[in-house]
Amino acid sequence: GLLSKGVAKLTRTVRALQALGMARRTRFRDRTRSVRRRAHQIAAWLRRRSGDAKDEVLELTGELARIADATITDAQAVAINARRSLHRAGDAASGKATALVAELERTIGAVEQIISQTRIRIGGGVPDGATRVVSLHDTDARPIAKGRLGRPVEFGYKAQVADNAQGIVLDHRVEKGNPPDAPMLVPAIARITKFFGQVPKAVTADRGYGEPKVETELQSLGVKHVAIPRKGRPGAERQKIESAPRFRKLVKWRTGSEGRIAHLKRSCGWERTVLDGIDGARTWCGWGVLAHNATKIAVLIEEQEATHPSPRSTPTRRPTATGPPSRHPPPPTFRAA
């Protein structure tokens, strides 16, 4: 599917460039019908679920890779000639043409990587998940194994959220691929400490962060209480620590705070980013956190004002002998909250 979409996108981009007068004499063959026909044949063979179907699918996939490779050769020639035309035009070059040439070069690189992945699969191997392209328009997205029954593998980015007892997100991070959880916690606490000028008294996280090194580094930062269940089966001494009332209370609070992630996904756009690339995903998630925090802080201020209303004095103005009361009342007084 990615090969078919890649060839179609290369063809559309080249046609758009040639319509602008770029690389018109460069030969480019439209192979969109060929790849779509083979993609349709693959879908038909996959429904048969037999050994012969598997062999036929692998053969058709190899043909798709060869067609995509030939399309890339033609597209590279178009990109080179179009880039020369832009260089000759100098400052008079069209912005649309410049963007199309850059898009063509990006698509060529993505399709080349997809071809490489395809040949690894045909050879019986599995492409590396850390570098595997799973989306043509968002080449930074990666497969992430979640282990769920309905969706064992998801595609996108990995995000970490750190919030406080009031529900305000203090730190968040969006990373490419599926990096391990444990090394991400201490830098997050260090950023929070630097930003607020105060070390958190207690830190809790799920079992994915449960490593002795993480707990030692958090304590070295000045954290008094660390409530992170360890990975694997804990020993007798560790069971005594994890059964302590304060430890269990913090772990239960962390379980309840999972709703924060669900809320960010449901109401703040974290379910799906509309901006491509890792930079776009970070920007999109940052705006979501800003919206969440602004709403949450406003609610907290309203609750505080309802519990402890601020006294508002209305000063009386007496008329003077020289004229009527002043039209400009004195400035109101505010209470720091």
Side-chain angles (χ1 to χ4, degrees), residues 8-228:
K9 186 174 181 180
L10 287 173
T11 303
R12 289 195 305 269
T13 309
V14 169
R15 295 306 182 210
L17 272 173
Q18 291 179 342
L20 293 176
M22 312 286 290
R24 281 188 173 182
R25 297 181 180 180
T26 307
R27 178 183 175 276
F28 183 87
R29 179 183 171 188
D30 188 350
R31 298 176 175 86
T32 305
R33 291 180 60 186
S34 298
V35 294
R36 286 179 177 173
R37 183 173 66 252
R38 284 165 176 79
H40 179 73
Q41 291 174 352
I42 287 175
W45 277 102
L46 285 175
R47 288 193 291 268
R48 302 187 183 185
R49 300 180 180 274
S50 63
D52 294 338
K54 182 178 180 180
D55 296 336
E56 187 67 24
V57 165
L58 290 177
E59 183 178 349
L60 289 171
T61 305
E63 293 179 7
L64 275 172
R66 288 191 293 272
I67 294 173
D69 206 358
T71 304
I72 284 179
T73 302
D74 292 350
Q76 285 174 339
V78 173
I80 291 172
N81 291 335
R83 183 64 69 181
R84 288 173 181 168
S85 299
L86 290 176
H87 182 70
R88 287 194 299 267
D91 296 337
S94 168
K96 182 177 180 181
T98 304
L100 283 173
V101 172
E103 180 67 22
L104 180 61
E105 292 171 345
R106 284 193 297 267
T107 306
I108 289 172
V111 176
E112 283 179 338
Q113 189 168 352
I114 294 169
I115 292 173
S116 177
Q117 295 171 184
T118 303
R119 287 172 174 161
I120 292 175
R121 287 295 258 178
I122 293 174
V126 178
D128 184 13
T131 58
R132 178 183 167 195
V133 175
V134 295
S135 174
L136 190 62
H137 73 277
D138 192 351
T139 55
D140 289 336
R142 294 291 181 266
I144 301 175
K146 303 295 288 186
R148 299 174 183 173
L149 293 177
R151 291 194 298 177
V153 178
E154 297 180 4
F155 303 95
Y157 305 93
K158 186 171 186 176
Q160 175 183 265
V161 178
D163 61 348
N164 61 4
Q166 286 75 32
I168 300 173
V169 176
L170 304 181
D171 183 83
H172 75 282
R173 208 75 171 176
V174 180
E175 299 293 341
K176 185 191 295 186
N178 189 17
D181 294 339
M184 299 172 64
L185 182 58
V186 175
I189 301 302
R191 288 192 297 270
I192 293 173
T193 302
K194 181 180 179 180
F195 185 78
F196 292 96
Q198 184 178 358
V199 182
K201 294 182 180 179
V203 173
T204 180
D206 60 30
R207 199 177 298 273
Y209 298 87
E211 295 182 2
K213 181 182 178 181
V214 174
E215 189 169 340
T216 302
E217 291 178 351
L218 288 174
Q219 291 173 349
S220 66
L221 289 177
V223 180
K224 294 182 179 179
H225 304 285
V226 179
I228 305 176

